[in-house]
């Protein structure tokens, strides 16, 4: 069945890089997404990657996709206290469906 | 342009009471979704509506009903609330973004407690 897994917590020092990892099971995923949730708020799309790409860079964010291992990662360079939030990875299965599978979320805590 | 709005923001119900959570989007999106978020479990899809006039069950539909009133509005109803339905509920709508990515836009959530 479809499943997306993430570790629950990550703690880093301000200025360091953060790497948040995600594994998924459905090999027919078309797009994979990273969402950010700040306290008391809804989810906001941070970035996404098409399944035939290996890497995508967007300012401080780098997404790496290893399709063979079904592993997705989000690297945040120069992590700031404002990056403290819960980060969700998600997959959409194909362009014909309307469903998304979300991971459990990784709570990132940035220490000053 | 308000995006996705949800009402109410907070609600406390007694077991057995009913209520409707409201959601509206002003982005002319076809697809809309209801999720619940529980600690350590991420987001789970309750129901979704691919387009006006259609609704489908998601992963956890039991105890809920939905109505896609028009293209803008998608409501979620709890007919007889149970403590297991204590959760944060998010509504979302979907756009087709650049390069074909299907971006979801989320509302701010409704925090529901059932006692």
């Amino acid at each position: 069945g479809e499943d997306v897994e993430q570790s629950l917590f990550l703690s880093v020092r301000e200025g360091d890089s953060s790497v948040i990892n995600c594994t998924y099971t459905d090999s027919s995923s078309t797009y994979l997404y990273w969402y950010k949730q700040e306290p008391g708020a809804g989810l906001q799309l941070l970035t996404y990657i098409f399944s035939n790409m290996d890497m995508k860079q967007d300012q401080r964010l780098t997404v790496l996709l290893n399709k063979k291992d079904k592993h997705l990662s989000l690297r945040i360079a120069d992590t700031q206290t404002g990056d403290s939030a819960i980060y969700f990875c998600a997959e959409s299965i194909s362009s014909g469906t309307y469903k998304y599978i979300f991971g459990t979320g990784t709570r990132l805590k940035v220490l000053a | 342009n308000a995006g996705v709005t949800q009402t109410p923001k907070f609600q406390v119900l007694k077991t057995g009471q009913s209520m409707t959570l409201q959601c509206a989007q002003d982005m002319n999106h076809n697809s809309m979704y209801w999720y619940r978020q529980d600690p350590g479990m991420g987001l789970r899809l309750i129901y979704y509506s691919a387009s006006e006039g259609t609704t489908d069950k998601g992963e956890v539909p039991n105890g809920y009903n939905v109505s896609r009133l028009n293209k803008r509005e998608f409501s979620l109803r709890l007919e007889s609330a149970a403590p297991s339905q204590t959760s944060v509920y998010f509504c979302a709508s979907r756009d087709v973004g650049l390069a074909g990515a299907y971006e979801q836009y989320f509302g701010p959530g409704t925090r529901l407690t059932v006692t």
Side-chain angles (χ1 to χ4, degrees), chain A residues 70-109:
Chain A
K70 299 192 184 72
H71 183 264
L72 181 74
S73 67
L74 173 70
R75 179 176 179 269
I76 305 173
D78 187 24
T79 312
Q80 303 298 306
T81 53
D83 295 323
S84 292
I86 302 177
Y87 291 81
F88 291 91
C89 67
E91 58 175 344
S92 63
I93 307 304
S94 76
S95 60
T97 70
Y98 301 90
K99 292 199 289 186
Y100 300 74
I101 308 297
F102 282 83
T104 52
T106 299
R107 186 179 293 275
L108 173 65
K109 185 173 181 180

Side-chain angles (χ1 to χ4, degrees), chain B residues 37-94:
Chain B
Q37 182 182 23
D38 301 293
M41 300 189 75
L43 269 72
R44 291 183 292 169
L45 182 65
I46 305 171
Y47 271 93
Y48 66 101
S49 170
S51 60
E52 187 180 352
T54 69
T55 60
D56 284 285
K57 294 178 181 179
E59 184 186 351
V60 288
N62 291 344
Y64 305 95
N65 284 302
V66 289
S67 295
R68 183 75 183 266
L69 304 166
N70 47 54
K71 194 171 185 179
R72 288 187 66 246
E73 297 171 289
F74 188 38
S75 62
L76 178 72
R77 182 157 178 85
L78 286 70
E79 290 291 350
S80 178
S84 60
Q85 294 178 304
T86 293
S87 188
V88 182
Y89 291 85
F90 288 100
C91 177
S93 68
R94 189 183 86 160

Side-chain angles (χ1 to χ4, degrees), chain A residues 31 33 37 48 88 98 100, chain B residues 33 37 94 98-99 101-102 104:
Chain A
Y31 289 96
Y33 305 83
Q37 184 184 32
Y48 64 89
F88 291 91
Y98 301 90
Y100 300 74
Chain B
Y33 305 77
Q37 182 182 23
R94 189 183 86 160
L98 293 175
Y102 296 93
Q104 282 194 315

